[in-house]
Amino acid sequence: MGIIVQKFGGSSVADTEKLFNVCEHVLKAYNEGNGVVVVVSAQGKTTDKLIAEEAEISNKPTKREHDVLVATGEQITIAKLAMCLNKLGHKAVSYMGWQVPIITDGVFGEARIKKIDTAKIMKDLDEGTIVVVAGFQGVSEKGDITTFGRGGSDTTAVALAAALKADKCEIFTDVDGVFSADPRIVEDAIKIETMTYDEMLELSSSGAKVLHNRCVEIAKNFEMPIVVKSSFEKESTGTLVDRYDKMEGLHIGGIAVMNDVSKVTLLGMADRIGETYKIFKILSENDINIDIIAQSRGEHAPKDVSFSIGTEDLEKTIDLLDNNTEGLEYTEIKYFTNLSKISLVGVGIANTPGVAASMFEALSECNINMRLISTSEIKISVLIDENKAERAMKAIHEKLTLGKHLV
Amino acid sequence: MGIIVQKFGGSSVADTEKLFNVCEHVLKAYNEGNGVVVVVSAQGKTTDKLIAEEAEISNKPTKREHDVLVATGEQITIAKLAMCLNKLGHKAVSYMGWQVPIITDGVFGEARIKKIDTAKIMKDLDEGTIVVVAGFQGVSEKGDITTFGRGGSDTTAVALAAALKADKCEIFTDVDGVFSADPRIVEDAIKIETMTYDEMLELSSSGAKVLHNRCVEIAKNFEMPIVVKSSFEKESTGTLVDRYDKMEGLHIGGIAVMNDVSKVTLLGMADRIGETYKIFKILSENDINIDIIAQSRGEHAPKDVSFSIGTEDLEKTIDLLDNNTEGLEYTEIKYFTNLSKISLVGVGIANTPGVAASMFEALSECNINMRLISTSEIKISVLIDENKAERAMKAIHEKLTLGKHLV
């Protein structure tokens, strides 16, 4: 018997009708002879509603109790989905994280999985029972409920698939896979049939809200194939995320956009080893994430350092650098806000001559200024003005879509 | 350090303002030097809402999953109440039934408590932490969530109090204790200061919706004093329920009403030993509860047997007796519906001459027909027409209120 883990997000389980729709996907896999484990999120806006109620109590609620509160969302879904499957005449059983158990490191709100005990689930599967597991949560060794942070149901699904040595992990969502660009913006965006874990990681951290990064990391570590597909389209084949050497056929990259980005530049920094590190130290100690970083300098001349951050962190960043306690030396701080980061992701980028050139050409043809550039083995990112992001995306997509593949 | 267990029902925790109101009661007991354990129900109409959603899925939902679903109601409340106490600067921690753990016999929907492990809670109390426990739920030895049925939070509170050897268990509700009659109907109803466990048991099973019967049984077994008081009136002294020999001062009984009662009479039953038992056998095997039972017969003549049941069971009862498979012999079935049961409860009833006579006199003065009568050591119950129940209650209350006590 093969095992398939299926994960359904909040919009896929939002009401009773949708829960019965989920049953169709589950029973299809089950009737094909697989053991099926289903991981679900909280229904629709349930988590948001709980968090709004929590805000009435405190603007800084205790993390332990926050986890107890929000974990109820998934608990409601598992009970209902198991009931739906029972109603349809099938054996199904629901488990919270603590019942599996999914043991975590005990960090409230952003726990990491340490261990999954699969004995209970394996016994159920052997008996032909469909197992429904609450996503997003586990239990610490001390016995406290701990959640994984938003998007953590993906992590539950992939980690369970790895622990159960499943054939694959199917992530059902409201779109038919991963696209070469956001189809709501770029009309002729193409669905990507297959991509590597690294591409998926780069796309996720570049703003494509398809999969939670941690879940892709786990999938990569355990070489667990992930299929991202639509829960609403019956014939959805989705996108397969897998190892590079298992990729077949045409390989297509993707474009992602991240908005609300700001760029900060420190002018005239002392040209000493360790000066740039101080910027990171000050900001990371205050939970501010630096994304792109670039520096330019002449020999023995003062250097300039630019980096990008989320705009929500801009004020705090300027304050921290103004009042820096690390002896950071510079002459002036400048910043630009209302920027977007456009990223082109694809395995071939570094080895395919002209990809970066084509991307920059597309932007210059639209008269779009690139404020910061960063490249890696499989990604090129540029910061541009936010109000030009859509135009940039379309232009790059058009320029690079020669025939039917991007990179 | 003394220990007090406080229980707050759904209306006492219905919103954020009420949760902070609950904190005042909790902190009052805490600041008086007690270890405080708080047991809470689901907020307001939460459980009803979950059950309505469940009905969309199935009219006969799986019992196991039903328990998983409804248990979320209390989980939400404990997280929020612990957050409120934290917000006010106090150490507080929430526990679901499985975290304490409260071990049950594993019967879904109507589990009974087998064992409570108090080590975790005692450690918290020793450290000055307030403990907030989800009412109404425990965990089976197999690790399944099991609930106690509605009103089960009272049971959680009293059982925890007994296990922790608490000084008392305070049940907070929306009225200031137990009254000699429903104050919404009988204007001059008197609050009862003290009553025995047995009186409380009789009142509860007679229709007074104050305490869950099982919780009073546990309190009686463990001789745990219960105080029923108002969560909304600051100066509420409430009603103390305790052992008879600990009662002080004037002793007042109470009147309770139960509506939607029907009476069934089997005429001309065979006068054999075991014939009446057959009625009970047939009905109890089909989960129908017989309340009052009365039979009349002459020597060696056919006998008539009358009994009362809830009207919701009437149709099923008639069907079962019509199609009886036990060889029950009788000539005719008659029934009356739209009846109420009026009960007068008080320790002195059997020993106080004239109590029954006064009650019956009050009814006859109002021209109210008694359709069935049952008496015990501490209770007299009569069935009357439902539309005369309020009048009957007032008349009995007035007749028996000589000065300020009933019985």
Side-chain angles (χ1 to χ4, degrees):
Chain A
M1 176 184 69
I3 295 174
I4 293 183
V5 176
Q6 298 186 321
K7 181 258 171 179
F8 297 87
S11 58
S12 301
V13 296
D15 56 36
T16 303
E17 193 187 334
K18 287 186 175 141
L19 284 170
F20 278 110
N21 175 57
V22 164
C23 291
E24 289 184 32
H25 292 288
V26 173
L27 293 175
K28 184 164 182 289
Y30 181 80
N31 291 331
E32 285 166 0
N34 298 292
V36 185
V37 176
V38 195
V39 174
V40 285
S41 303
Q43 292 186 286
K45 299 285 171 202
T46 308
T47 308
D48 292 336
K49 191 173 156 279
L50 289 169
I51 288 173
E53 288 173 15
E54 176 180 82
E56 287 178 19
I57 295 171
S58 171
N59 51 13
K60 212 178 170 181
T62 342
K63 286 182 174 179
R64 180 186 186 279
E65 304 304 335
H66 169 84
D67 280 4
V68 174
L69 183 67
V70 295
T72 59
E74 285 73 23
Q75 185 172 335
I76 290 173
T77 318
I78 55 170
K80 287 184 176 176
L81 183 60
M83 273 179 206
C84 290
L85 290 162
N86 291 155
K87 170 77 180 172
L88 296 172
H90 291 272
K91 285 195 289 182
V93 69
S94 74
Y95 292 131
M96 264 77 74
W98 61 268
Q99 289 178 306
V100 173
I102 298 174
I103 306 286
T104 73
D105 61 5
V107 179
F108 297 115
E110 44 185 326
R112 283 178 172 260
I113 296 172
K114 282 179 71 173
K115 199 174 66 188
I116 296 179
D117 185 341
T118 57
K120 210 165 175 176
I121 294 179
M122 287 307 287
K123 184 166 176 289
D124 290 324
L125 295 180
D126 282 343
E127 291 167 356
T129 302
I130 297 165
V131 177
V132 184
V133 178
F136 166 75
Q137 59 184 271
V139 64
S140 72
E141 271 158 351
K142 236 184 90 186
D144 288 326
I145 289 182
T146 43
T147 69
F148 305 154
R150 295 216 126 182
S153 291
D154 291 349
T155 305
T156 303
V158 176
L160 265 175
L164 292 164
K165 303 192 199 321
D167 296 336
K168 61 180 170 182
C169 179
E170 297 181 329
I171 307 278
F172 288 83
T173 177
D174 47 8
V175 290
D176 182 27
V178 185
F179 281 76
S180 59
D182 187 334
R184 287 167 302 185
I185 298 170
V186 180
E187 277 175 27
D188 50 356
I190 310 158
K191 199 192 75 179
I192 305 173
E193 296 294 331
T194 53
M195 64 195 311
T196 64
Y197 297 118
D198 288 334
E199 286 174 306
M200 192 69 242
L201 282 170
E202 289 285 15
L203 268 184
S204 295
S205 44
S206 301
K209 293 177 197 78
V210 185
L211 288 179
H212 205 238
N213 243 355
R214 201 180 318 159
C215 100
V216 186
E217 283 166 16
I218 297 172
K220 186 184 171 189
N221 279 345
F222 290 91
E223 301 192 343
M224 174 55 56
I226 302 179
V227 181
V228 180
K229 62 203 286 194
S230 165
S231 60
F232 301 116
E233 290 173 38
K234 290 267 178 301
E235 301 306 318
S236 172
T237 53
T239 296
L240 171 67
V241 187
D242 209 333
R243 269 162 44 204
Y244 179 62
D245 56 8
K246 287 169 70 184
M247 295 284 120
E248 285 168 21
L250 209 55
H251 200 67
I252 301 176
I255 302 174
V257 180
M258 186 183 286
N259 292 321
D260 296 320
V261 176
S262 290
K263 172 188 164 188
V264 177
T265 303
L266 295 181
L267 296 171
M269 279 183 64
D271 188 14
R272 278 195 301 261
I273 289 170
E275 285 298 295
T276 308
Y277 164 69
K278 286 179 185 169
I279 303 174
F280 283 95
K281 184 162 190 288
I282 294 168
L283 298 186
S284 73
E285 280 172 357
N286 288 279
D287 290 327
I288 293 170
N289 241 338
I290 294 179
D291 185 10
I292 301 179
I293 185 154
Q295 70 182 52
S296 60
R297 64 176 177 101
E299 287 286 315
H300 307 296
K303 65 182 174 187
D304 302 336
V305 174
S306 294
F307 57 88
S308 71
I309 51 171
T311 298
E312 75 275 15
D313 290 329
L314 180 61
E315 202 181 321
K316 196 171 162 194
T317 299
I318 302 292
D319 277 356
L320 287 166
L321 295 176
D322 269 347
N323 307 310
N324 91 78
T325 51
E326 299 286 334
L328 181 70
E329 285 177 35
Y330 61 88
T331 53
E332 197 184 343
I333 300 185
K334 277 187 163 176
Y335 63 87
F336 287 94
T337 189
N338 295 322
L339 302 178
S340 289
K341 183 176 76 165
I342 307 263
S343 303
L344 178 65
V345 174
V347 164
I349 284 184
N351 304 321
T352 311
V355 172
S358 298
M359 180 173 175
F360 300 159
E361 186 184 11
L363 292 173
S364 89
E365 282 170 6
C366 299
N367 224 356
I368 295 173
N369 197 5
M370 296 185 284
R371 301 196 175 275
L372 209 56
I373 299 172
S374 147
T375 61
S376 78
E377 181 76 11
I378 61 167
K379 188 176 76 164
I380 309 173
S381 294
V382 297
L383 289 198
I384 62 169
D385 290 343
E386 198 165 286
N387 57 11
K388 292 174 185 158
E390 283 200 16
R391 188 148 38 106
M393 216 172 160
K394 286 178 186 165
I396 297 168
H397 196 272
E398 199 183 345
K399 175 72 73 182
L400 291 168
T401 319
L402 306 164
K404 279 284 175 199
H405 65 292
L406 283 186
V407 177
Chain B
M1 176 184 68
I3 296 175
I4 293 182
V5 175
Q6 298 186 321
K7 181 258 170 179
F8 296 88
S11 58
S12 301
V13 296
D15 56 36
T16 303
E17 193 188 332
K18 287 186 175 139
L19 284 170
F20 278 111
N21 175 56
V22 164
C23 291
E24 289 185 33
H25 292 288
V26 173
L27 293 174
K28 184 164 181 289
Y30 182 79
N31 290 330
E32 284 167 358
N34 298 293
V36 185
V37 176
V38 195
V39 175
V40 285
S41 303
Q43 292 186 288
K45 300 285 172 203
T46 307
T47 308
D48 292 335
K49 190 174 157 281
L50 289 169
I51 289 174
E53 288 173 16
E54 177 181 80
E56 288 179 16
I57 294 171
S58 171
N59 52 13
K60 212 178 168 181
T62 342
K63 286 183 175 179
R64 180 186 185 280
E65 303 305 335
H66 169 84
D67 279 4
V68 173
L69 183 67
V70 294
T72 59
E74 285 72 23
Q75 185 172 337
I76 290 173
T77 317
I78 55 170
K80 287 184 176 176
L81 183 60
M83 273 178 203
C84 289
L85 289 162
N86 292 154
K87 169 76 180 174
L88 296 171
H90 291 272
K91 284 194 289 182
V93 69
S94 74
Y95 293 131
M96 265 77 76
W98 61 268
Q99 289 177 305
V100 172
I102 297 173
I103 306 286
T104 73
D105 61 6
V107 180
F108 297 115
E110 43 184 329
R112 284 179 172 261
I113 296 172
K114 282 179 71 173
K115 199 173 67 188
I116 297 179
D117 186 342
T118 57
K120 210 165 175 177
I121 293 179
M122 287 306 287
K123 184 165 176 288
D124 290 324
L125 295 180
D126 283 343
E127 291 167 355
T129 302
I130 297 165
V131 177
V132 184
V133 178
F136 167 76
Q137 59 183 271
V139 65
S140 72
E141 269 157 353
K142 236 184 89 187
D144 289 325
I145 288 182
T146 43
T147 68
F148 305 154
R150 295 216 124 181
S153 291
D154 291 350
T155 304
T156 304
V158 175
L160 265 176
L164 293 163
K165 302 193 197 320
D167 295 337
K168 62 180 170 183
C169 179
E170 297 181 329
I171 308 277
F172 287 84
T173 176
D174 46 8
V175 289
D176 182 26
V178 186
F179 282 75
S180 59
D182 188 335
R184 287 166 303 185
I185 298 171
V186 180
E187 277 175 26
D188 51 355
I190 311 158
K191 198 192 76 182
I192 304 173
E193 296 293 331
T194 53
M195 63 194 312
T196 64
Y197 297 118
D198 288 333
E199 287 174 306
M200 192 68 242
L201 282 171
E202 288 285 14
L203 268 184
S204 296
S205 43
S206 301
K209 294 179 197 76
V210 184
L211 288 180
H212 204 238
N213 242 356
R214 201 181 318 159
C215 100
V216 185
E217 283 165 17
I218 297 172
K220 186 184 171 188
N221 278 345
F222 290 92
E223 301 193 341
M224 174 55 57
I226 302 179
V227 180
V228 179
K229 62 203 287 192
S230 166
S231 60
F232 301 116
E233 291 174 37
K234 289 268 180 299
E235 301 306 319
S236 173
T237 53
T239 296
L240 170 67
V241 186
D242 208 334
R243 268 162 47 203
Y244 178 63
D245 57 5
K246 286 169 72 185
M247 296 283 121
E248 285 168 18
L250 209 55
H251 201 66
I252 301 175
I255 301 174
V257 179
M258 184 183 286
N259 292 322
D260 296 320
V261 176
S262 289
K263 173 189 164 188
V264 176
T265 303
L266 295 182
L267 296 172
M269 280 184 63
D271 188 13
R272 277 194 303 262
I273 289 169
E275 284 297 296
T276 307
Y277 164 70
K278 287 179 184 168
I279 303 175
F280 284 94
K281 184 162 189 287
I282 294 168
L283 298 185
S284 73
E285 279 173 356
N286 289 279
D287 290 327
I288 292 171
N289 241 336
I290 293 179
D291 184 10
I292 300 177
I293 185 153
Q295 71 181 54
S296 61
R297 63 173 178 102
E299 287 286 313
H300 308 294
K303 65 183 176 186
D304 303 337
V305 173
S306 295
F307 57 88
S308 70
I309 51 172
T311 298
E312 74 274 14
D313 290 330
L314 181 61
E315 203 181 320
K316 196 171 163 194
T317 299
I318 302 292
D319 277 356
L320 287 167
L321 294 177
D322 269 347
N323 308 311
N324 91 79
T325 51
E326 298 287 334
L328 182 68
E329 286 176 33
Y330 60 88
T331 53
E332 196 184 345
I333 300 186
K334 279 188 160 178
Y335 63 86
F336 287 94
T337 190
N338 294 322
L339 301 178
S340 289
K341 182 175 76 165
I342 307 265
S343 303
L344 178 65
V345 174
V347 164
I349 283 184
N351 304 321
T352 311
V355 172
S358 297
M359 181 173 174
F360 299 160
E361 187 184 8
L363 292 173
S364 90
E365 281 171 6
C366 298
N367 225 355
I368 295 173
N369 198 6
M370 296 183 285
R371 301 196 177 275
L372 209 56
I373 299 172
S374 148
T375 60
S376 78
E377 182 76 11
I378 61 166
K379 187 176 78 164
I380 308 173
S381 293
V382 297
L383 289 197
I384 62 170
D385 291 343
E386 199 165 285
N387 58 12
K388 292 173 185 158
E390 284 202 14
R391 189 148 38 106
M393 217 173 160
K394 286 177 186 166
I396 297 169
H397 196 272
E398 199 182 345
K399 175 73 74 182
L400 291 167
T401 320
L402 306 164
K404 279 286 176 197
H405 66 292
L406 284 186
V407 176

